[in-house]
Amino acid sequence: RKEVEQDPGPFNVPEGATVAFNCTYSNSASQSFFWYRQDCRKEPKLLMSVYSSGNEDGRFTAQLNRASQYISLLIRDSKLSDSATYLCVVNPPGGFKTIFGAGTRLFVKA
Amino acid sequence: DTEVTQTPKHLVMGMTNKKSLKCEQHMGHRAMYWYKQKAKKPPELMFVYSYEKLSINESVPSRFSPECPNSSLLNLHLHALQPEDSALYLCASSQDFKGRVVVSPLHFGNGTRLTVT
């Protein structure tokens, strides 16, 4: 089983749609979680940290489910500019490891 | 604007060349990373430096040689690369860790797009 698993998509959605991505992780002792956004031929940029209580930033909501070992990202009212690859990141204990999911490609169309 | 600066942005080198990639950050972060990213793949960890000491080498071939001269600089020396080493090389830094667990997000530079001919 991969340490972090993420549906690569692509997800094709119309503007205004709500879309959700999940990411599962195998190490139950993992301690910090993040979502990054990466545009084509650019570096990954932090979108949100994921907290145990869940957190929201505008149209974006991130949640952590430790019991089922997954994190989620919900995007409401999708914009054309949301088209990108979304990478989940999990930090398991030991060794400064930062593990990326494979990335989910999102295409928002007019 | 990124707070992690990488140079050069693009590099084309032959298989017999020696070149270096440079990375600089002035955020006071004490962990710095090199990642390699191929098209349509996630970043792949190569090296981690913590307090200027090499903490992780993910079985990277010796033709890649990292160096951390001080807390703000990170270099990646390249020698005798192969065409399959062509990729985007990303430098990153992070602030906080508890023991050996990264607890704060990574800040990435713009990357160096490397082509080996």
Side-chain angles (χ1 to χ4, degrees), chain B:
Chain B
D1 288 340
T2 183
E3 296 169 318
V4 177
T5 304
Q6 285 187 246
T7 55
K9 291 193 186 312
H10 301 275
L11 178 62
V12 179
M13 60 185 290
M15 289 188 284
T16 58
N17 292 158
K18 285 186 180 180
K19 296 286 185 184
S20 296
L21 309 185
K22 298 186 181 300
C23 176
E24 188 169 1
Q25 58 89 14
H26 293 288
M27 295 179 283
H29 292 176
R30 302 313 297 268
M32 295 186 75
Y33 310 74
W34 279 115
Y35 281 86
K36 173 182 177 180
Q37 188 174 26
K38 303 282 271 186
K40 300 186 179 181
K41 297 287 188 182
E44 180 184 333
L45 183 63
M46 300 175 72
F47 303 103
V48 180
Y49 274 83
S50 167
Y51 289 92
E52 296 94 72
K53 292 185 180 177
L54 184 64
S55 297
I56 292 180
N57 176 340
E58 290 287 278
S59 302
V60 180
S62 60
R63 57 186 184 269
F64 295 91
S65 176
E67 178 196 16
C68 190
N70 60 53
S71 60
S72 299
L73 295 175
L74 186 66
N75 298 322
L76 186 63
H77 303 299
L78 314 173
H79 175 52
L81 295 193
Q82 303 297 310
E84 59 263 29
D85 296 322
S86 299
L88 179 67
Y89 288 83
L90 293 160
C91 173
S93 68
S94 66
Q95 181 177 20
D96 296 321
F97 29 91
K98 296 178 183 176
R100 291 169 65 81
V101 181
V102 179
V103 295
S104 63
L106 299 177
H107 296 252
F108 284 92
N110 290 331
T112 294
R113 193 159 297 280
L114 174 68
T115 302
V116 181
T117 61

Side-chain angles (χ1 to χ4, degrees), chain A residues 25-41:
Chain A
Y25 59 94
S26 60
N27 190 327
S28 60
S30 296
Q31 298 190 22
S32 54
F33 309 86
F34 306 94
W35 283 101
Y36 283 77
R37 170 198 170 122
Q38 187 170 25
D39 294 291
C40 186
R41 299 180 69 83

Side-chain angles (χ1 to χ4, degrees), chain A residues 24-63:
Chain A
T24 60
Y25 59 94
S26 60
N27 190 327
S28 60
S30 296
Q31 298 190 22
S32 54
F33 309 86
F34 306 94
W35 283 101
Y36 283 77
R37 170 198 170 122
Q38 187 170 25
D39 294 291
C40 186
R41 299 180 69 83
K42 299 283 190 180
E43 78 277 16
K45 293 192 176 180
L46 178 68
L47 181 64
M48 298 179 75
S49 301
V50 186
Y51 303 122
S52 297
S53 54
N55 47 301
E56 187 174 309
D57 182 2
R59 299 182 292 108
F60 299 85
T61 301
Q63 292 194 310

Side-chain angles (χ1 to χ4, degrees), chain A:
Chain A
R1 182 182 173 185
K2 288 184 181 178
E3 291 184 270
V4 176
E5 296 206 57
Q6 189 177 0
D7 181 350
F11 285 61
N12 293 288
V13 302
E15 273 186 293
T18 295
V19 61
F21 310 134
N22 284 342
C23 179
T24 60
Y25 59 94
S26 60
N27 190 327
S28 60
S30 296
Q31 298 190 22
S32 54
F33 309 86
F34 306 94
W35 283 101
Y36 283 77
R37 170 198 170 122
Q38 187 170 25
D39 294 291
C40 186
R41 299 180 69 83
K42 299 283 190 180
E43 78 277 16
K45 293 192 176 180
L46 178 68
L47 181 64
M48 298 179 75
S49 301
V50 186
Y51 303 122
S52 297
S53 54
N55 47 301
E56 187 174 309
D57 182 2
R59 299 182 292 108
F60 299 85
T61 301
Q63 292 194 310
L64 167 63
N65 185 316
R66 283 196 181 275
S68 300
Q69 293 181 208
Y70 73 86
I71 62 173
S72 64
L73 177 68
L74 182 77
I75 305 175
R76 290 180 298 277
D77 189 21
S78 299
K79 311 291 185 191
L80 294 176
S81 56
D82 294 333
S83 298
T85 296
Y86 291 84
L87 296 153
C88 65
V89 170
V90 176
N91 293 329
F96 298 105
K97 288 266 190 176
T98 292
I99 304 189
F100 283 81
T104 298
R105 299 187 73 190
L106 172 66
F107 295 99
V108 181
K109 302 194 174 181

